[in-house]
Amino acid sequence: MSYEKHSPMPLSELELIRQAQRGDERAFTRLVSHYESLVYGFAFKVCRDKELASETWQDTFVNVYRKLHQFDGRSKFTTWLYTIVVNNCRMKRRKSKLEVASVSIEAPGGFHDTRGTDDEGRGAQTTIPPWKETPLDAVMHSELKGVLDSAIQKLPMDYRIVFILRDVEGLSAEETGRILKLSVPAVKSRLRRARVFLRERLNPYMTT
Amino acid sequence: MRTKTLKCSSVLDHICNELDTKISSRKCQEIRRHLARCPNCTAYLDSLKKTIRLYATYPHPHVPAKNRKKLLAVLKLSE
């Protein structure tokens, strides 16, 4: 489904929301059609499970139906929608075992200045092996697919959601902060830790 | 003139935060100079970018057809 996630809402779309707010059922089902892929895709990326993604999808649209009158149009509709999905993902986590396997992320890896370089390149010594190029179609039929799933499932939920909103869905730090009620520095801090965490877990599979 | 020495850890802290922004500040120019001469930081930055690309391009499944029917039934709406 082609969907422009981050463009301003066209007037017709706002009108569709207004119609749905006035109780027009057809307008509501059209809204579902328009956003169902966004909601399901995001829920799947967070849960990594089709069944949980479907449950989150349904809970989200039930919430949208019941709370649509609360949307005042001052924020983007997608920001409001992502907020609802995030809340449902968090509730699912509490009810299920989504985060049982998560590990601490407080001290992420990386490399240290055991033999760093200055701006003149002094002391240069390659200790970080370069990563191989991996075309996507190869990823989808390889062991790496499982590695990608496993790595992100180990990432604590709050970090996972920041990583997905920023790096996968392409939202700004400001919008991500509004959705998660976090400051921009807090979003950046979590994003940095999430990126390093995932990079460390993929590293063994990408350097051989 | 001798340039200020930048440590790799400082470079990586910065590039992790600003991976997707334009680097134009003075600090960023120093980092760009460092990256041009440091194979470790260059390899690390490349691996971070590849990590993001792998997740960003990982396709998600389509919405199951039964979902909509179930939702409409729950809300007592017609198609």
Side-chain angles (χ1 to χ4, degrees):
Chain A
M1 175 178 173
S2 87
Y3 170 65
E4 293 176 79
K5 282 181 277 192
H6 313 304
S7 56
M9 183 182 295
L11 193 59
S12 57
E13 200 173 314
L14 193 56
E15 184 52 34
L16 191 63
I17 292 166
R18 296 288 176 240
Q19 287 171 5
Q21 285 176 322
R22 289 194 290 266
D24 184 332
E25 292 182 5
R26 284 187 55 143
F28 177 76
T29 55
R30 283 177 64 195
L31 269 184
V32 173
S33 298
H34 194 68
Y35 290 106
E36 64 179 2
S37 183
L38 172 94
V39 171
Y40 185 78
F42 178 60
F44 178 80
K45 288 165 198 167
V46 173
C47 304
R48 239 69 192 179
D49 179 283
K50 288 181 184 176
E51 201 55 45
L52 284 175
S54 283
E55 288 175 17
T56 305
W57 183 93
Q58 175 163 315
D59 293 348
T60 297
F61 282 114
V62 168
N63 292 152
V64 168
Y65 184 75
R66 291 180 179 154
K67 295 181 179 176
L68 194 56
H69 64 280
Q70 293 176 9
F71 176 70
D72 58 13
R74 282 187 294 181
S75 66
K76 285 199 287 186
F77 186 68
T78 48
T79 303
W80 189 73
L81 200 53
Y82 275 121
T83 306
I84 296 174
V85 187
V86 164
N87 289 338
N88 283 322
C89 287
R90 284 174 165 162
M91 275 198 281
K92 280 272 174 290
R93 175 191 57 179
R94 284 194 279 272
K95 286 181 188 170
S96 73
K97 296 176 179 174
L98 258 183
E99 207 178 19
V100 164
S102 292
V103 297
S104 170
I105 196 171
E106 292 310 309
F111 72 93
H112 306 288
D113 293 287
T114 50
R115 181 86 189 268
T117 64
D118 61 21
D119 283 351
E120 304 301 315
R122 286 181 288 263
Q125 183 185 63
T126 304
T127 55
I128 307 290
W131 278 24
K132 59 191 173 193
E133 293 295 335
T134 310
L136 186 65
D137 54 352
V139 173
M140 292 304 108
H141 298 93
S142 71
E143 184 191 358
L144 185 58
K145 185 174 184 290
V147 174
L148 289 170
D149 287 339
S150 166
I152 202 160
Q153 280 171 329
K154 286 192 172 68
L155 187 60
M157 180 67 90
D158 288 342
Y159 292 81
R160 194 187 313 174
I161 290 172
V162 169
F163 176 77
I164 293 168
L165 286 173
R166 288 284 287 116
D167 281 343
V168 178
E169 301 290 288
L171 271 59
S172 68
E174 289 74 14
E175 197 172 1
T176 301
R178 277 196 291 276
I179 291 166
L180 300 174
K181 296 183 174 55
L182 289 173
S183 66
V184 168
V187 169
K188 288 186 173 182
S189 169
R190 288 190 187 188
L191 181 62
R192 176 181 171 276
R193 286 171 182 270
R195 285 169 171 171
V196 171
F197 178 94
L198 293 171
R199 186 259 172 212
E200 296 305 310
R201 268 133 199 94
L202 302 191
N203 190 48
Y205 299 89
M206 296 299 290
T207 53
T208 53
Chain B
M1 186 179 80
R2 186 177 169 144
T3 52
K4 187 183 167 190
T5 298
L6 276 181
K7 289 194 168 192
C8 294
S9 53
S10 158
V11 169
L12 292 174
D13 274 352
H14 199 78
I15 59 177
C16 284
N17 286 335
E18 307 300 333
L19 204 56
D20 44 3
T21 61
K22 288 180 183 171
I23 47 177
S24 56
S25 69
R26 189 172 162 188
K27 174 83 175 172
C28 289
Q29 286 170 7
E30 288 173 16
I31 284 166
R32 197 181 292 171
R33 271 203 304 276
H34 179 99
L35 284 170
R37 294 171 184 273
C38 178
N40 280 333
C41 284
T42 302
Y44 197 85
L45 175 60
D46 178 66
S47 65
L48 280 175
K49 286 180 175 174
K50 282 178 176 158
T51 299
I52 294 167
R53 199 183 320 139
L54 282 168
Y55 281 105
T57 52
Y58 186 126
H60 64 81
H62 293 292
V63 186
K66 63 177 182 181
N67 280 23
R68 171 183 285 246
K69 197 172 264 184
K70 203 173 157 192
L71 174 70
L72 295 178
V74 167
L75 296 176
K76 298 183 173 60
L77 300 176
S78 52
E79 184 73 55

